[in-house]
Amino acid sequence: MRKGLFITFEGSDGSGKSTQLTLLKEYLTNKGIKIITLREPGGVAISEKIRSIILDNRNTEMNPVTEMLLYAASRAQLVSQLIKPSLENGITVICDRFVDSSYVYQGLARGLGMDTVKLVNNIATGNIMPDITFFMDTDPELALKRRFNSSVPDRLENESIKFHRDVYNGYLELIEMYPERIKRINGEIGIDAAFSSIKEYIDALLCRYME
Ligand code: TYD
């Protein structure tokens, strides 16, 4: 049986990832492709519990290494319990964030370094990587404004604007490291226009996948 495709979305908080993810899910489902959608941190019961510790606003004293390990622990459970078995059963997995978030938030913005974060995450994922990753490129200030208008900020969202700028610049660095895998999508040109470019990449990927 053909393996499922592994697709991830990345970007700043409020960059428009979730809207595009929903559109992509609908698009692929209409093509008859079996899909599950997930979010990180979370996705399965144990990982959702870890998520609540990570994002709790009261946990202001959390050490960056603890934070990195908690994200990795949540990911290890999600990969082994759901992502790996789904892909092996031919189900396409679309995930809102994956290791790239750890590379950028913990490795670059928190300053733990890419090497450390990669090492830990390779253990957590067993080296599974997405087939394609969409980076929603939205100015971090605009993204934050969108977020603040829609929900109460969590611990990560409460970080300074400098942190969010570092995250954004971290993503730009990451794109240069993985130009084949990570596709940059302009998140400021409107929902339909952004989805059109995602569709182009996905159609090309499906052509190769079906060969
Ligand atoms: P969430 O509410 O899911 O945010 P979003 O809708 O923007 O994805 O919260 C996830 C937060 O955790 C977000 O601020 C990014 C951060 N994060 C990391 O710092 N490292 C990681 O590995 C992951 C998966 C998320």
Side-chain angles (χ1 to χ4, degrees):
M1 182 192 296
R2 200 188 294 277
K3 281 184 102 185
L5 285 171
F6 186 20
I7 303 166
T8 59
F9 280 86
E10 294 285 346
S12 306
D13 308 277
S15 60
K17 289 178 285 111
S18 318
T19 309
Q20 296 299 327
L21 188 150
T22 307
L23 289 173
L24 182 59
K25 178 185 179 184
E26 205 179 286
Y27 182 67
L28 292 176
T29 305
N30 286 338
K31 284 184 180 292
I33 296 173
K34 273 199 204 149
I35 295 219
I36 54 165
T37 56
L38 301 165
R39 67 160 182 192
E40 268 220 284
V44 288
I46 292 173
S47 307
E48 288 290 335
K49 281 193 178 162
I50 300 173
R51 175 188 175 90
S52 64
I53 300 172
I54 301 175
L55 298 182
D56 190 336
N57 271 318
R58 288 166 302 182
N59 291 339
T60 48
E61 73 276 31
M62 191 180 292
N63 177 279
V65 175
T66 311
E67 185 180 278
M68 171 187 67
L69 293 171
L70 285 174
Y71 279 115
S74 157
R75 183 165 298 133
Q77 188 62 34
L78 182 65
V79 167
S80 63
Q81 193 178 333
L82 205 51
I83 295 181
K84 207 161 169 270
S86 300
L87 294 174
E88 279 165 5
N89 283 316
I91 297 169
T92 284
V93 176
I94 312 181
C95 199
D96 188 345
R97 299 190 179 281
F98 195 60
V99 282
D100 295 312
S101 285
S102 283
Y103 295 164
V104 167
Y105 282 76
Q106 282 66 54
L108 301 173
R110 294 266 192 242
L112 294 177
M114 279 290 282
D115 291 347
T116 306
V117 177
K118 263 191 183 168
L119 188 73
V120 167
N121 275 279
N122 285 346
I123 300 169
T125 63
N127 297 313
I128 277 194
M129 285 301 274
D131 294 296
I132 192 165
T133 297
F134 295 108
F135 165 58
M136 296 307 297
D137 185 351
T138 303
D139 177 77
E141 266 128 272
L142 173 65
L144 266 190
K145 257 190 227 144
R146 286 184 186 162
R147 272 313 274 240
F148 283 134
N149 288 339
S150 68
S151 59
V152 181
D154 62 38
R155 191 176 62 85
L156 271 287
E157 286 161 358
N158 271 332
E159 285 287 347
S160 65
I161 184 66
K162 181 186 173 302
F163 178 78
H164 292 286
R165 271 241 158 257
D166 289 346
V167 165
Y168 179 75
N169 291 329
Y171 274 120
L172 299 186
E173 265 185 64
L174 205 67
I175 291 176
E176 307 222 326
M177 291 179 217
Y178 299 100
E180 286 301 307
R181 175 174 62 84
I182 307 181
K183 309 299 177 195
R184 180 177 180 163
I185 305 296
N186 189 336
E188 298 180 23
I189 52 173
I191 292 173
D192 293 346
F195 189 60
S196 288
S197 35
I198 291 178
K199 244 184 341 199
E200 271 179 39
Y201 285 118
I202 285 293
D203 288 343
L205 181 67
L206 285 176
C207 272
R208 268 180 282 142
Y209 174 73
M210 299 299 181
E211 270 167 15

